[in-house]
Amino acid sequence: DAGITQSPRYKITETGRQVTLMCHQTWSHSYMFWYRQDLGHGLRLIYYSAAADITDKGEVPDGYVVSRSKTENFPLTLESATRSQTSVYFCASTPSGPYNEQFFGPGTRLTVL
Amino acid sequence: TQLLEQSPQFLSIQEGENLTVYCNSSSVFSSLQWYRQEPGEGPVLLVTVVTGGEVKKLKRLTFQFGDARKDSSLHITAAQPGDTGLYLCAGAWGNKLVFGAGTILRVKS
């Protein structure tokens, strides 16, 4: 299907486990982003990527790792999950520059026990 | 501390009422976006404002960018239950967008 998809939609894991959240877009947008959404904080940027093999930290990158070997995929890995990483994670993309309209995926709700 | 402060945090009104939500900052933004998010979904862009003093209308929604480009407002006329959702403002900051915490709007029929 065309658009931006995230998987899984829901995930429960335990403290210390590694978790990877997937993001796939079919538009060939250059820019991709990972945000976390927590009550009272809005959306906070974790990492972003301007193109394949180019990534940069956002506001809250600690404990997360990203890669972008292909334009269409931008996985987010929690190397050793902590309870504070319980959140809803959104992936977004935009064709040209972070100031333009961002298109968001449906989100992944992650619970770390 | 949020770079963009949104108020109110929560608003519950009856169908047909008017409302205004605010997005304020002490910093200047080159542009500002408003998104609406429904439960279980990602945010969707409503409008982008780029010029100080700019007013944009989208059916019953009116968006205004402050003259100094530090604040914005969203006014909804004759709210409907379908307007229910989380309204987020986002400002262009450096090479990213920064988001406010949002206003949760509930319109009761």
Side-chain angles (χ1 to χ4, degrees), chain B residues 17-34:
Chain B
E17 293 184 5
N18 301 332
L19 67 114
T20 302
V21 299
Y22 300 92
C23 176
N24 295 305
S25 178
S26 57
S27 302
V28 175
F29 290 91
S30 57
S31 66
L32 214 143
Q33 300 175 7
W34 284 91

Side-chain angles (χ1 to χ4, degrees), chain B residues 70-98:
Chain B
K70 293 182 178 181
D71 55 85
S72 181
S73 64
L74 158 59
H75 182 79
I76 301 179
T77 303
Q80 299 176 0
D83 295 326
T84 292
L86 173 67
Y87 289 81
L88 295 158
C89 65
W93 183 256
N95 58 350
K96 324 175 190 31
L97 278 183
V98 289

Side-chain angles (χ1 to χ4, degrees), chain A residues 25 27-32 49-52 68 71 93-97:
Chain A
Q25 52 105 353
W27 296 306
S28 299
H29 285 173
S30 297
Y31 284 81
M32 296 187 75
S49 169
R68 195 165 176 210
T71 300
S93 70
T94 188
S96 55

Side-chain angles (χ1 to χ4, degrees), chain A residues 9 37 41 48 90 98-99 102, chain B residues 2 33 35 37 40 92 94-95:
Chain A
R9 292 294 313 274
Q37 186 172 40
H41 290 280
Y48 67 102
F90 287 97
Y99 300 161
Q102 293 192 11
Chain B
Q2 297 271 157
Q33 300 175 7
Y35 289 80
Q37 183 179 14
N95 58 350

Side-chain angles (χ1 to χ4, degrees), chain A residues 33-35 44-49 55-62 66, chain B residues 95-97:
Chain A
F33 310 84
W34 274 107
Y35 296 91
R44 291 184 290 175
L45 183 64
I46 304 170
Y47 270 96
Y48 67 102
S49 169
T55 62
D56 206 350
K57 295 179 180 179
E59 181 186 354
V60 288
D62 293 344
V66 293
Chain B
N95 58 350
K96 324 175 190 31
L97 278 183

